[in-house]
Short mmCIF file of all heavy atoms in Angstrom, two decimals:
data_model
loop_
_atom_site.label_atom_id
_atom_site.label_comp_id
_atom_site.label_asym_id
_atom_site.label_seq_id
_atom_site.Cartn_x
_atom_site.Cartn_y
_atom_site.Cartn_z
N ALA X 1 -19.38 -16.75 -8.86
CA ALA X 1 -19.10 -15.32 -9.03
C ALA X 1 -18.07 -15.07 -10.13
O ALA X 1 -18.15 -14.05 -10.81
CB ALA X 1 -18.62 -14.72 -7.71
N VAL X 2 -17.11 -15.97 -10.31
CA VAL X 2 -16.08 -15.73 -11.32
C VAL X 2 -16.61 -15.88 -12.74
O VAL X 2 -15.91 -15.56 -13.69
CB VAL X 2 -14.82 -16.61 -11.11
CG1 VAL X 2 -14.15 -16.29 -9.81
CG2 VAL X 2 -15.11 -18.07 -11.27
N LEU X 3 -17.82 -16.34 -12.88
CA LEU X 3 -18.43 -16.36 -14.21
C LEU X 3 -18.70 -14.94 -14.69
O LEU X 3 -18.82 -14.70 -15.88
CB LEU X 3 -19.73 -17.17 -14.19
CG LEU X 3 -19.55 -18.66 -13.88
CD1 LEU X 3 -20.92 -19.33 -13.77
CD2 LEU X 3 -18.70 -19.35 -14.91
N SER X 4 -18.75 -14.02 -13.74
CA SER X 4 -18.94 -12.61 -14.08
C SER X 4 -17.60 -12.03 -14.56
O SER X 4 -16.56 -12.34 -14.01
CB SER X 4 -19.40 -11.85 -12.84
OG SER X 4 -19.25 -10.47 -13.01
N PRO X 5 -17.63 -11.17 -15.57
CA PRO X 5 -16.37 -10.61 -16.09
C PRO X 5 -15.69 -9.65 -15.12
O PRO X 5 -14.53 -9.31 -15.31
CB PRO X 5 -16.80 -9.89 -17.37
CG PRO X 5 -18.25 -9.66 -17.24
CD PRO X 5 -18.79 -10.74 -16.35
N VAL X 6 -16.35 -9.24 -14.04
CA VAL X 6 -15.76 -8.27 -13.12
C VAL X 6 -15.17 -8.92 -11.87
O VAL X 6 -14.65 -8.23 -11.01
CB VAL X 6 -16.78 -7.19 -12.69
CG1 VAL X 6 -17.21 -6.35 -13.87
CG2 VAL X 6 -17.97 -7.83 -12.00
N ALA X 7 -15.23 -10.22 -11.74
CA ALA X 7 -14.73 -10.91 -10.55
C ALA X 7 -13.61 -11.88 -10.92
O ALA X 7 -13.87 -13.04 -11.24
CB ALA X 7 -15.87 -11.66 -9.86
N PRO X 8 -12.36 -11.44 -10.87
CA PRO X 8 -11.25 -12.33 -11.24
C PRO X 8 -11.03 -13.42 -10.18
O PRO X 8 -11.10 -13.18 -8.97
CB PRO X 8 -10.05 -11.40 -11.32
CG PRO X 8 -10.40 -10.27 -10.41
CD PRO X 8 -11.90 -10.12 -10.49
N ALA X 9 -10.76 -14.62 -10.64
CA ALA X 9 -10.54 -15.75 -9.74
C ALA X 9 -9.34 -15.51 -8.83
O ALA X 9 -9.33 -15.93 -7.68
CB ALA X 9 -10.35 -17.03 -10.53
N ALA X 10 -8.32 -14.82 -9.33
CA ALA X 10 -7.11 -14.58 -8.53
C ALA X 10 -7.42 -13.82 -7.25
O ALA X 10 -6.79 -14.06 -6.22
CB ALA X 10 -6.08 -13.84 -9.36
N ALA X 11 -8.38 -12.91 -7.30
CA ALA X 11 -8.75 -12.16 -6.10
C ALA X 11 -9.30 -13.10 -5.03
O ALA X 11 -8.98 -12.96 -3.85
CB ALA X 11 -9.76 -11.08 -6.44
N PHE X 12 -10.13 -14.05 -5.44
CA PHE X 12 -10.68 -15.01 -4.48
C PHE X 12 -9.58 -15.92 -3.94
O PHE X 12 -9.56 -16.25 -2.76
CB PHE X 12 -11.80 -15.84 -5.11
CG PHE X 12 -13.06 -15.06 -5.35
CD1 PHE X 12 -13.57 -14.95 -6.63
CD2 PHE X 12 -13.74 -14.46 -4.31
CE1 PHE X 12 -14.74 -14.25 -6.86
CE2 PHE X 12 -14.91 -13.75 -4.53
CZ PHE X 12 -15.41 -13.64 -5.81
N GLU X 13 -8.68 -16.33 -4.79
CA GLU X 13 -7.60 -17.20 -4.34
C GLU X 13 -6.77 -16.50 -3.27
O GLU X 13 -6.39 -17.12 -2.28
CB GLU X 13 -6.73 -17.62 -5.51
CG GLU X 13 -7.40 -18.64 -6.41
CD GLU X 13 -6.51 -19.12 -7.54
OE1 GLU X 13 -5.29 -18.85 -7.52
OE2 GLU X 13 -7.04 -19.78 -8.45
N GLU X 14 -6.49 -15.23 -3.47
CA GLU X 14 -5.72 -14.48 -2.48
C GLU X 14 -6.46 -14.40 -1.15
O GLU X 14 -5.86 -14.61 -0.09
CB GLU X 14 -5.44 -13.07 -3.02
CG GLU X 14 -4.45 -12.29 -2.19
CD GLU X 14 -4.10 -10.97 -2.85
OE1 GLU X 14 -3.77 -10.97 -4.05
OE2 GLU X 14 -4.17 -9.95 -2.15
N LEU X 15 -7.75 -14.14 -1.19
CA LEU X 15 -8.56 -14.10 0.04
C LEU X 15 -8.57 -15.47 0.72
O LEU X 15 -8.44 -15.56 1.95
CB LEU X 15 -9.99 -13.68 -0.27
CG LEU X 15 -10.21 -12.22 -0.64
CD1 LEU X 15 -11.65 -12.01 -1.11
CD2 LEU X 15 -9.89 -11.33 0.54
N ASN X 16 -8.72 -16.53 -0.05
CA ASN X 16 -8.77 -17.87 0.52
C ASN X 16 -7.43 -18.27 1.12
O ASN X 16 -7.37 -18.94 2.15
CB ASN X 16 -9.23 -18.88 -0.52
CG ASN X 16 -10.69 -18.66 -0.89
OD1 ASN X 16 -11.43 -18.02 -0.16
ND2 ASN X 16 -11.10 -19.18 -2.03
N GLU X 17 -6.34 -17.85 0.49
CA GLU X 17 -5.03 -18.16 1.05
C GLU X 17 -4.81 -17.37 2.34
O GLU X 17 -4.25 -17.89 3.31
CB GLU X 17 -3.91 -17.88 0.06
CG GLU X 17 -2.59 -18.42 0.54
CD GLU X 17 -1.55 -18.55 -0.56
OE1 GLU X 17 -1.75 -17.99 -1.66
OE2 GLU X 17 -0.54 -19.21 -0.31
N ASP X 18 -5.26 -16.13 2.39
CA ASP X 18 -5.19 -15.35 3.63
C ASP X 18 -5.98 -16.03 4.75
O ASP X 18 -5.52 -16.09 5.89
CB ASP X 18 -5.71 -13.92 3.42
CG ASP X 18 -4.76 -13.05 2.61
OD1 ASP X 18 -3.57 -13.42 2.46
OD2 ASP X 18 -5.21 -11.99 2.13
N ASP X 19 -7.16 -16.54 4.43
CA ASP X 19 -7.97 -17.27 5.41
C ASP X 19 -7.22 -18.51 5.90
O ASP X 19 -7.22 -18.82 7.09
CB ASP X 19 -9.32 -17.67 4.83
CG ASP X 19 -10.28 -16.51 4.69
OD1 ASP X 19 -10.05 -15.44 5.29
OD2 ASP X 19 -11.28 -16.68 3.95
N ALA X 20 -6.60 -19.23 4.98
CA ALA X 20 -5.86 -20.43 5.34
C ALA X 20 -4.69 -20.08 6.26
O ALA X 20 -4.42 -20.77 7.25
CB ALA X 20 -5.36 -21.17 4.10
N ARG X 21 -3.99 -19.00 5.97
CA ARG X 21 -2.88 -18.55 6.83
C ARG X 21 -3.38 -18.21 8.23
O ARG X 21 -2.75 -18.55 9.22
CB ARG X 21 -2.19 -17.33 6.23
CG ARG X 21 -1.23 -17.63 5.15
CD ARG X 21 -0.40 -16.38 4.82
NE ARG X 21 0.25 -16.58 3.56
CZ ARG X 21 -0.10 -16.02 2.43
NH1 ARG X 21 -1.10 -15.18 2.37
NH2 ARG X 21 0.57 -16.26 1.33
N SER X 22 -4.50 -17.53 8.28
CA SER X 22 -5.08 -17.15 9.57
C SER X 22 -5.43 -18.39 10.40
O SER X 22 -5.12 -18.46 11.60
CB SER X 22 -6.31 -16.29 9.34
OG SER X 22 -6.91 -15.94 10.57
N ARG X 23 -6.06 -19.37 9.78
CA ARG X 23 -6.40 -20.61 10.50
C ARG X 23 -5.13 -21.35 10.93
O ARG X 23 -5.05 -21.88 12.04
CB ARG X 23 -7.27 -21.52 9.64
CG ARG X 23 -8.74 -21.17 9.70
CD ARG X 23 -9.60 -22.19 8.98
NE ARG X 23 -9.23 -22.36 7.59
CZ ARG X 23 -9.67 -21.57 6.59
NH1 ARG X 23 -10.48 -20.57 6.85
NH2 ARG X 23 -9.29 -21.80 5.36
N ALA X 24 -4.12 -21.38 10.08
CA ALA X 24 -2.86 -22.04 10.43
C ALA X 24 -2.21 -21.35 11.62
O ALA X 24 -1.70 -22.02 12.53
CB ALA X 24 -1.92 -22.08 9.23
N ARG X 25 -2.24 -20.02 11.65
CA ARG X 25 -1.67 -19.30 12.79
C ARG X 25 -2.43 -19.60 14.08
O ARG X 25 -1.84 -19.74 15.15
CB ARG X 25 -1.63 -17.80 12.51
CG ARG X 25 -0.52 -17.41 11.55
CD ARG X 25 -0.31 -15.91 11.49
NE ARG X 25 -1.48 -15.21 10.96
CZ ARG X 25 -1.64 -14.84 9.70
NH1 ARG X 25 -0.70 -15.11 8.83
NH2 ARG X 25 -2.72 -14.21 9.32
N ASP X 26 -3.77 -19.72 13.97
CA ASP X 26 -4.57 -20.10 15.13
C ASP X 26 -4.16 -21.50 15.60
O ASP X 26 -3.99 -21.73 16.81
CB ASP X 26 -6.06 -20.08 14.77
CG ASP X 26 -6.93 -20.55 15.91
OD1 ASP X 26 -6.89 -19.93 17.00
OD2 ASP X 26 -7.66 -21.56 15.73
N GLY X 27 -3.97 -22.41 14.68
CA GLY X 27 -3.53 -23.75 15.02
C GLY X 27 -2.16 -23.76 15.67
O GLY X 27 -1.89 -24.54 16.60
#
């Protein structure tokens, strides 16, 4: 998706870090 000029990689990184935080809190 980041090959597209409208999808910045930083947005995905932020989502993925939020997911990681959520899993860590569950743990």
Side-chain angles (χ1 to χ4, degrees):
V2 297
L3 296 175
S4 164
V6 295
F12 289 121
E13 287 183 12
E14 190 174 310
L15 288 172
N16 292 342
E17 190 163 13
D18 287 344
D19 286 344
R21 280 191 195 105
S22 178
R23 277 187 302 276
R25 284 191 296 265
D26 176 60

